Each structure stands twice: as structure tokens, then as C-alpha cells.
Amino acid sequence: QVQLVESGGGLVQPGGSLRLSCAASTNIFSIYAMGWYRQAPGKQRELVAAITSGGTTNYADSVKGRFTISRDNAKKTVYLQMNSLKPEDTAVYYCNARFGGLDSWGQGTQVTVSS
């Protein structure tokens, strides 16, 4: 399993921006598909954005055009740039690493969008 550590969450006003980071412990980071998920109170965890080992991305419809996922294989880090944040983006955001049918998860970072 891969150790994942998220950072960058916090409190932001509607319309603001945050950048989440997820640092991985593995030396073979480049082969992993990486993703960001979120879970709001009382709701199921949902996929926000994902990026394959080859750099192909996909996004939930609710964040398309506002969020951007990227990865830096040299730094073993995946990022989620979140712009034009809305109150409904409030959730705990989790980093995910997937390879060979196995998932690893970070501990989560809280994002709160409120005035």
C-alpha cells in the first residue's frame, strides 16, 4: 500500500480558490492512477477528478471547468486546483492511489466554502 498525505484544505469564501496537494510515499508513483474524492456530511463519497499514469484526466460534471487535477511524478505529488468554489463544494477531500485493483487512501483534508 501507498502512504498518502493530503494538505491545502481550509476555509475559503465563495468564489475563492484552494490548491490541494497529495504526497505519496512510493518510488513508483508514476505507474499509479491518482484521484481526488470528496465526502460531504450525510452523503456518499464521490469521485471529483482523476488522472491516469499517462496523464488522461476526467472530472465530475459538477466541477468541470472549475477544478484541475495534475501530477508531478518527480515530486510524487498530485494536485487539485479548485477555482470558483461554491458552498456545495464543502466536504472532506481524499486522495486515492490505484494500481492493480488495489486502492490506497489518504486521511482526508477539510474544505469549507462559506462566507
Side-chain angles (χ1 to χ4, degrees):
Q1 283 218 338
V2 180
Q3 299 285 333
L4 301 169
V5 179
E6 301 106 332
S7 61
L11 173 64
V12 63
Q13 292 187 342
S17 298
L18 282 175
R19 188 175 83 153
L20 305 183
S21 299
C22 172
S25 62
T26 178
N27 287 324
I28 52 171
F29 175 78
S30 63
I31 71 171
Y32 283 85
M34 302 297 298
W36 286 97
Y37 290 72
R38 67 186 180 188
Q39 187 167 19
K43 294 188 177 181
Q44 288 189 331
R45 190 173 296 190
E46 63 176 357
L47 175 68
V48 176
I51 185 166
T52 68
S53 58
T56 301
T57 59
N58 69 285
Y59 297 92
D61 287 344
S62 60
V63 307
K64 281 181 181 176
R66 299 189 298 122
F67 291 11
T68 302
I69 188 170
S70 61
R71 64 190 299 161
D72 185 330
N73 289 337
K75 295 183 177 179
K76 298 182 288 185
T77 300
V78 63
Y79 304 97
L80 185 67
Q81 178 66 44
M82 305 185 294
N83 299 327
S84 303
L85 283 160
K86 304 176 181 180
E88 51 263 44
D89 295 317
T90 295
V92 178
Y93 284 70
Y94 296 91
C95 179
N96 169 267
R98 179 171 296 169
F99 180 74
L102 296 178
D103 284 311
S104 298
W105 295 92
Q107 82 286 353
T109 186
Q110 177 71 46
V111 172
T112 303
V113 185
S114 174
S115 55

